[in-house]
């Protein structure tokens, strides 16, 4: 077969320059990445050999990774006898750089080397770090079970070639033609140091081949089966880098051994930074499952719940059968017990952190709080434990608060936990619906994660205090607290603005079906108007989310209640005009539509009729300029 030339599916020159620049001070990690890839390939073949007789006949008795130094050729070769790659694999895995999204990758780079290293690891471009030290990279590979082998070759400047090769056995050789500045990686001592530092935990032997000398450089023992006291913090960190393919520091390390009716060992990590796929719609977990140190799968949704998908690490059990299909694996009752134990362990560790080191926990919550809150909606059994670690922003507190903290600060006469949902904290905090609550010093939870609208539908109360949205019509502020601005005895007098009843009636007629009702408001102090949902209607922000996602039944918005602030100068003057005449008034008619559009804009929505809105604004400006 003739050689074929392909163009990388990304701006390869730019991307490889980014990789080289961001990783320059840590260029030795290229070797760690290639060894990790080789280890994964060996794990995959080991599992295939256990479940497929054809693969068992192909696989060797031992698995290993060889690092071959050839000083005369100026090459360093990383070889494994794992699963190997087909021609299509080469195109998909090596021909598409930053498959997770090249544009997103480039946009998120900050120029900070430490931060960018984390991003590089998250976007799966570790293989291309080889170009930091090599002018040319060759990949000679043969997939287990296939007759043909292939040679992939590139100088990293925009194209690569694929042609048939002559590798006799399955596995992969990555041959790096080192640049003149990188001769240090042809020195045995340098290679020995890098492997000991970064890859001592790899579960297959890593051998250095230098002429006739062959030396095993790593301990080749599974880190998770070793005693905690024998493992250093650096070893844990490097294992996290290996298993998570990440460059950041682990925020929390959980090494646990369970003995009894069910025995398993786990070594789990919580990252410091959000993994790039954290909000992927598939919400897949990223835990590697082993049985007696034999890799089984890293795609087992039954192992940990989706709201803990930020976890990285391994779980190894002696009590799960090896000769089972993945479908059977997902129904194995042992997995349900392991899952239950993992959830209990993780939530327990998070509770300790939250209680003892709240500042550190705040870092975790900023990255993973929205994901944890998914458990409030999905995991009824552990809902109370999840609520204990949830943290919230509020109108009366600068930091993060627990629900228990909020309950202790509730005002006399307050029997509900008030909340408001929206897209971001800044816009939600300015909502006119909050004005009356602020005036009386009543604390409101500011909920800005999309999941908040959903879990609030299933979690109805906390410590016998019901949750209530401030955007609903039934918020009775009269019996709670004292007005922070005007003082008072906790009970507002009924509004007696002349003409208010008449104004409400005229606005109802003018707006018709565009609103569900028009009412005088006790919640507004500064704004003229606001929209609220009726007590039996869906919360406005939840409906907005469903409408954006084109959910059936939410193509058009439900008419809302328009509330008027009788103390606002504009509303007061309109009430005076309404008091003079009970007949239709063009000024009040136009004002009614302007007030509704104003309220919609405050809610982040468009005017009902943008053309009519623009016309009315122009008329008002024209009259103002003519005075």
């Amino acid at each position: 077969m003739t050689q074929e030339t392909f163009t990388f599916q990304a701006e390869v020159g730019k991307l490889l320059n980014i990789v080289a620049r961001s990783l320059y001070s840590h260029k030795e990690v290229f070797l760690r990445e290639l060894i990790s890839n080789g280890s994964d390939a060996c794990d995959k073949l080991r599992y295939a050999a256990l479940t497929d007789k054809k693969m068992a006949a192909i696989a060797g008795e031992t698995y290993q990774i060889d690092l071959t130094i050839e000083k005369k050729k100026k090459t360093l070769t990383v070889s494994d006898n794992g699963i190997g790659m087909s021609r299509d694999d080469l195109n998909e895995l090596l021909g598409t750089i930053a498959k997770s999204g090249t544009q997103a990758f480039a946009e998120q780079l900050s120029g900070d080397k430490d931060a960018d290293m984390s991003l590089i690891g998250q976007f799966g471009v570790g293989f291309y770090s080889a170009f930091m030290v090599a002018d040319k990279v060759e990949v000679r590979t043969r997939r287990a079970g296939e007759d043909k082998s292939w040679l992939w070759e590139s100088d990293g400047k925009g194209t690569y070639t694929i042609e048939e090769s002559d590798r006799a056995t399955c596995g992969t050789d990555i041959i790096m033609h080192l640049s003149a500045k990188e001769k240090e990686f042809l020195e045995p001592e340098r290679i020995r140091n890098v492997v000991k530092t970064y890859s001592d935990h790899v579960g297959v032997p890593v051998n250095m081949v230098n002429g006739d000398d062959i030396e095993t450089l790593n301990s080749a023992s599974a880190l998770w089966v070793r005693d905690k006291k024998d493992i250093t913090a650096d070893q844990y960190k490097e294992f996290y880098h290996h298993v998570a393919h990440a460059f950041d520091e682990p925020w929390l390390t959980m090494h646990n051994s369970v003995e009894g009716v069910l025995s398993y060992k786990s070594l789990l990590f919580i990252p410091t930074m959000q993994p790039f796929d954290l909000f992927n719609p598939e919400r897949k977990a990223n835990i590697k499952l082993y049985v007696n140190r034999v890799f089984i799968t890293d795609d087992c949704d039954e192992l940990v719940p989706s709201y803990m998908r930020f976890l990285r690490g391994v779980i190894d059990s002696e009590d799960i059968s090896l000769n089972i299909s993945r479908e059977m694996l997902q129904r194995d009752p042992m997995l349900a017990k392991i899952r239950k134990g993992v959830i209990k362990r993780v939530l327990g560790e998070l509770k300790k952190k939250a209680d003892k080191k709240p500042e550190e926990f705040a870092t975790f919550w900023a990255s993973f709080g929205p994901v944890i809150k998914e458990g409030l909606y999905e995991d009824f059994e552990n809902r109370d434990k999840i609520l204990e670690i949830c943290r919230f922003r509020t109108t009366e507190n600068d930091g993060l608060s627990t629900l228990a903290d909020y309950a202790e600060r509730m005002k006399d006469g307050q029997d509900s936990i008030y909340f408001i949902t929206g897209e971001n904290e800044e816009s939600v905090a300015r909502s006119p619906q909050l004005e009356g609550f602020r005036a009386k010093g009543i604390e409101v939870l500011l909920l800005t994660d999309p999941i908040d609208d959903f879990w609030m539908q299933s979690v109805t109360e906390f410590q016998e205090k019901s949750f209530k949205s401030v955007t609903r019509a039934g918020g009775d502020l009269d019996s709670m607290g004292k007005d922070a601005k005007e003082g008072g005895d906790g009970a507002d007098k009924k509004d007696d603005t002349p003409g208010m009843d008449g104004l409400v009636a005229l606005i109802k007629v003018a707006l018709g079906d565009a609103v569900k009702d028009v009412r005088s408001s006790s919640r507004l102090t500064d704004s003229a108007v606001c929209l609220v949902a009726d007590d039996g209607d869906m919360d406005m922000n939840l409906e907005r989310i469903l409408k954006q996602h084109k959910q059936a039944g939410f193509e058009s918005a439900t008419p809302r209640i328009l509330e008027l602030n009788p103390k606002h100068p504009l509303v007061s003057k309109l009430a005076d005009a309404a008091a003079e005449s009970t007949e239709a008034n063009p000024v009040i008619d136009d004002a009614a539509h302007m007030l509704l559009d104003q309220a919609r804009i405050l809610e982040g929505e468009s005017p009902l009729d943008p053309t009519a809105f623009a016309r009315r604004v122009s008329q008002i400006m024209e009259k103002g300029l003519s005075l």
Side-chain angles (χ1 to χ4, degrees):
M1 179 181 283
T2 57
Q3 184 185 84
E4 295 181 76
T5 300
F6 302 84
T7 301
F8 283 106
Q9 302 302 305
E11 296 179 20
V12 63
K14 179 180 178 181
L15 185 56
L16 291 180
N17 282 336
I18 290 172
V19 173
R21 184 181 70 248
S22 296
L23 290 178
Y24 180 75
S25 60
H26 301 270
K27 57 188 175 184
E28 68 270 14
V29 299
F30 83 91
L31 193 53
R32 180 187 73 186
E33 289 300 300
L34 300 184
I35 290 173
S36 291
N37 291 344
S39 174
D40 289 345
C42 291
D43 282 342
K44 291 176 182 177
L45 182 56
R46 182 188 284 114
Y47 174 67
L50 289 169
T51 56
D52 187 329
K53 292 182 179 179
K54 181 181 177 181
M55 289 294 185
I58 296 171
E61 294 183 2
T62 60
Y63 298 90
Q64 64 188 53
I65 297 170
D66 293 333
L67 312 178
T68 303
I69 298 171
E70 295 186 80
K71 289 188 176 181
K72 290 184 178 179
K73 295 182 180 180
K74 299 180 182 178
T75 62
L76 175 63
T77 301
V78 179
S79 303
D80 67 71
N81 58 344
I83 194 77
M85 289 179 282
S86 65
R87 182 180 182 278
D88 289 341
D89 291 336
L90 287 171
N91 255 323
E92 181 179 358
L93 300 176
L94 304 189
T96 306
I97 298 180
K99 187 178 179 183
S100 303
T102 304
Q103 182 177 358
F105 171 83
E107 287 175 353
Q108 293 188 46
L109 287 169
S110 64
D112 182 290
K113 288 186 177 181
D114 291 334
D116 290 346
M117 277 195 296
S118 299
L119 197 61
I120 288 165
Q122 293 168 6
F123 273 79
V125 295
F127 165 79
Y128 304 99
S129 61
F131 287 101
M132 290 190 300
V133 296
D135 294 327
K136 183 174 72 171
V137 176
E138 299 174 34
V139 179
R140 201 176 301 272
T141 186
R142 179 175 177 175
R143 186 169 181 82
E146 295 192 359
D147 296 330
K148 293 181 179 180
S149 62
W150 302 95
L151 173 64
W152 180 99
E153 184 177 326
S154 176
D155 60 4
K157 295 181 180 178
T159 62
Y160 63 93
T161 62
I162 296 178
E163 60 182 301
E164 286 193 27
S165 184
D166 56 357
R167 200 179 202 281
T169 58
C170 65
T172 301
D173 303 324
I174 300 175
I175 306 155
M176 289 162 283
H177 296 261
L178 300 179
S179 60
K181 296 181 180 179
E182 309 301 339
K183 292 181 180 179
E184 63 183 284
F185 295 107
L186 295 174
E187 298 299 327
E189 187 56 37
R190 181 69 166 118
I191 297 298
R192 189 179 294 113
N193 179 264
V194 172
V195 173
K196 281 291 183 183
T197 301
Y198 294 107
S199 304
D200 191 53
H201 53 267
V202 173
V204 298
V206 179
N207 303 318
M208 180 171 62
V209 181
N210 185 19
D212 295 331
D213 297 329
I214 300 177
E215 177 186 355
T216 300
L217 303 179
N218 67 323
S219 61
S221 64
L223 196 72
W224 60 90
V225 302
R226 290 159 58 180
D227 198 302
K228 295 180 185 179
K229 67 178 186 298
D230 298 328
I231 305 173
T232 67
D234 284 341
Q235 287 174 318
Y236 276 130
K237 181 178 71 174
E238 290 310 322
F239 183 75
Y240 163 72
H241 290 161
H242 164 73
V243 75
H245 292 286
F247 285 81
D248 63 331
E249 300 284 324
W251 180 79
L252 183 64
T253 300
M254 294 168 283
H255 192 177
N256 193 33
S257 179
V258 176
E259 303 291 341
V261 177
L262 172 67
S263 298
Y264 66 91
K265 299 179 186 299
S266 63
L267 179 50
L268 303 176
F269 303 92
I270 295 177
T272 298
M273 299 181 64
Q274 288 183 351
F276 78 93
D277 58 351
L278 185 64
F279 295 104
N280 188 302
E282 294 181 349
R283 303 195 304 153
K284 285 187 173 294
N286 289 275
I287 302 297
K288 294 180 182 293
L289 176 63
Y290 285 75
V291 175
N292 284 324
R293 286 179 261 180
V294 175
F295 173 74
I296 301 300
T297 182
D298 57 3
D299 185 18
C300 182
D301 293 337
E302 300 301 312
L303 205 54
V304 295
S306 60
Y307 68 89
M308 289 186 178
R309 60 186 177 274
F310 51 81
L311 290 174
R312 297 293 186 266
V314 302
I315 294 175
D316 190 343
S317 175
E318 302 173 356
D319 298 319
I320 299 176
S321 176
L322 278 173
N323 57 346
I324 53 178
S325 68
R326 290 196 177 183
E327 289 74 20
M328 292 175 64
L329 181 67
Q330 291 175 355
R331 295 193 295 268
D332 193 309
M334 294 299 179
L335 282 181
K337 293 180 180 179
I338 293 175
R339 176 190 177 101
K340 186 174 182 179
V342 168
I343 293 173
K344 181 179 179 180
R345 175 76 174 181
V346 174
L347 292 179
E349 291 296 324
L350 289 176
K351 183 67 165 59
K352 290 179 184 177
K353 275 279 193 178
D355 293 342
K356 296 179 179 179
K357 298 182 178 180
E359 291 183 359
E360 289 186 19
F361 186 78
T363 301
F364 163 82
W365 191 255
S367 295
F368 304 111
V371 180
I372 283 287
K373 284 191 285 188
E374 292 175 13
L376 295 173
Y377 182 75
E378 300 172 347
D379 190 351
F380 177 81
E381 182 180 352
N382 294 288
R383 181 175 292 168
D384 290 341
K385 293 180 180 178
I386 297 172
L387 273 177
E388 287 181 1
I389 64 172
C390 284
R391 297 294 185 267
F392 303 93
R393 297 285 181 186
T394 77
T395 54
E396 301 294 320
N397 191 52
D398 292 334
L400 293 172
S401 289
T402 65
L403 288 177
D405 293 335
Y406 177 100
E408 289 181 0
R409 296 192 293 263
M410 289 173 65
K411 298 293 184 181
D412 294 338
Q414 181 181 350
D415 56 7
S416 297
I417 297 173
Y418 289 97
F419 69 91
I420 183 171
T421 61
E423 293 185 359
N424 60 75
E425 186 177 333
E426 183 179 353
S427 62
V428 167
R430 295 199 305 264
S431 174
Q433 285 99 340
L434 294 176
E435 292 174 1
F437 291 86
R438 279 205 176 93
K440 290 183 174 292
I442 297 171
E443 192 168 10
V444 178
L445 303 179
L446 305 176
L447 307 181
T448 56
D449 296 319
I451 190 62
D452 289 327
D453 287 284
F454 295 91
W455 73 261
M456 274 294 181
Q457 306 302 310
S458 57
V459 182
T460 57
E461 63 176 34
F462 175 78
Q463 294 182 356
E464 300 182 352
K465 303 288 187 181
S466 62
F467 288 102
K468 193 166 187 178
S469 172
V470 301
T471 63
R472 293 189 183 275
D476 184 6
L477 292 169
D478 294 345
S479 62
M480 294 181 290
K482 296 181 179 180
D483 195 300
K485 293 182 179 179
E486 302 176 6
D489 58 2
D492 293 336
K493 294 181 180 180
K494 178 177 174 59
D495 175 69
D496 55 359
T497 303
M500 195 64 196
D501 291 341
L503 176 64
V504 167
L506 289 174
I507 291 179
K508 281 183 182 180
V509 173
L511 296 180
D513 294 337
V515 295
K516 192 169 187 177
D517 198 3
V518 180
R519 299 176 185 174
S520 180
S521 176
S522 62
R523 80 180 73 218
L524 295 172
T525 60
D526 299 318
S527 300
V529 290
C530 73
L531 286 172
V532 296
D534 204 355
D535 283 334
D537 291 340
M538 181 177 292
D539 187 81
M540 292 193 295
N541 193 59
L542 176 57
E543 183 177 290
R544 189 180 299 117
I545 291 173
L546 295 174
K547 184 180 177 182
Q548 289 172 349
H549 288 80
K550 302 185 185 302
Q551 293 294 309
F554 297 97
E555 289 82 2
S556 58
T558 303
R560 300 302 183 185
I561 297 170
L562 181 68
E563 290 196 353
L564 307 177
N565 179 5
K567 297 179 182 179
H568 192 279
L570 173 60
V571 176
S572 180
K573 289 182 179 180
L574 288 172
D576 290 342
E580 295 175 0
S581 174
T582 57
E583 299 179 358
N585 186 327
V587 173
I588 292 179
D589 186 81
D590 278 345
H593 288 88
M594 288 291 291
L595 288 171
L596 175 59
D597 288 336
Q598 177 182 326
R600 289 178 60 85
I601 291 170
L602 287 171
E603 291 298 321
E605 299 179 5
S606 301
L608 284 175
D609 186 343
T611 302
F613 175 74
R615 176 179 55 79
R616 292 186 179 104
V617 170
S618 296
Q619 289 175 349
I620 292 172
M621 293 176 65
E622 183 180 348
K623 290 179 181 178
L625 292 172
S626 63
L627 295 178

